[in-house]
Amino acid sequence: MRPEKHVLLAGALGGVGFLSTRSTSVAVATFLAGVVVDGDHLVDYAIYWKSKGGRPPLKELINGSMFRQWGKFGICLHSYELLLPLWALALISDSITLVSWVSFSFVVHLISDQISYPLHPLIYFFTFRLNKRFEFASLVASQGVTKEHAGEL
């Protein structure tokens, strides 16, 4: 899903979180959890930049074509496995409501991305990407979609 749509979706979830709990902390944390996840694209872009030996066009980051160009698909924060420490935190925390809303916003982000792109259903599991060595072609081909027709990421 495009970043601006994530901002709108996370804003809506933050609003619902506020209306449900009357907590500004819940609202802000819910919003941030739905948006900050995409920060891993910047990490991937920096690694891609280094691998190219020079700055690739910024539009490759913005439209997601860097994954096809680079041939890798890291996105370390786009990982369902991150729910495990969040849930553990909810169990031991005095802020179970806050952590629950953060977890919910995180899952909504991943599911909205999963619905938006024609990739393997397991692609947002870090262990799956690691097993495929983060190779974009392997991750795309495993779903029967060619590298060229993978769409924007």
Side-chain angles (χ1 to χ4, degrees), residues 17-69:
F18 178 77
L19 292 173
S20 298
T21 65
R22 298 290 182 216
S23 167
T24 305
S25 298
V26 166
V28 171
T30 300
F31 172 76
L32 290 175
V35 175
V36 171
V37 176
D38 278 337
D40 58 8
H41 292 285
L42 298 174
V43 173
D44 281 355
Y45 183 71
I47 296 168
Y48 174 50
W49 181 333
K50 186 174 179 180
S51 76
K52 286 192 76 144
R55 184 176 169 265
L58 193 56
K59 73 176 186 175
E60 291 181 12
L61 168 66
I62 294 167
N63 69 18
S65 65
M66 74 173 188
F67 296 114
R68 290 187 300 277
Q69 300 293 330

Side-chain angles (χ1 to χ4, degrees), residues 44-100:
D44 281 355
Y45 183 71
I47 296 168
Y48 174 50
W49 181 333
K50 186 174 179 180
S51 76
K52 286 192 76 144
R55 184 176 169 265
L58 193 56
K59 73 176 186 175
E60 291 181 12
L61 168 66
I62 294 167
N63 69 18
S65 65
M66 74 173 188
F67 296 114
R68 290 187 300 277
Q69 300 293 330
W70 181 30
K72 297 286 184 182
F73 196 71
I75 60 168
C76 59
L77 293 178
H78 285 70
S79 302
Y80 284 112
E81 291 92 337
L82 293 177
L83 285 171
L84 295 174
L86 279 173
W87 290 339
L89 182 62
L91 292 175
I92 63 171
S93 171
D94 292 335
S95 304
I96 190 166
T97 301
L98 177 80
V99 177
S100 297

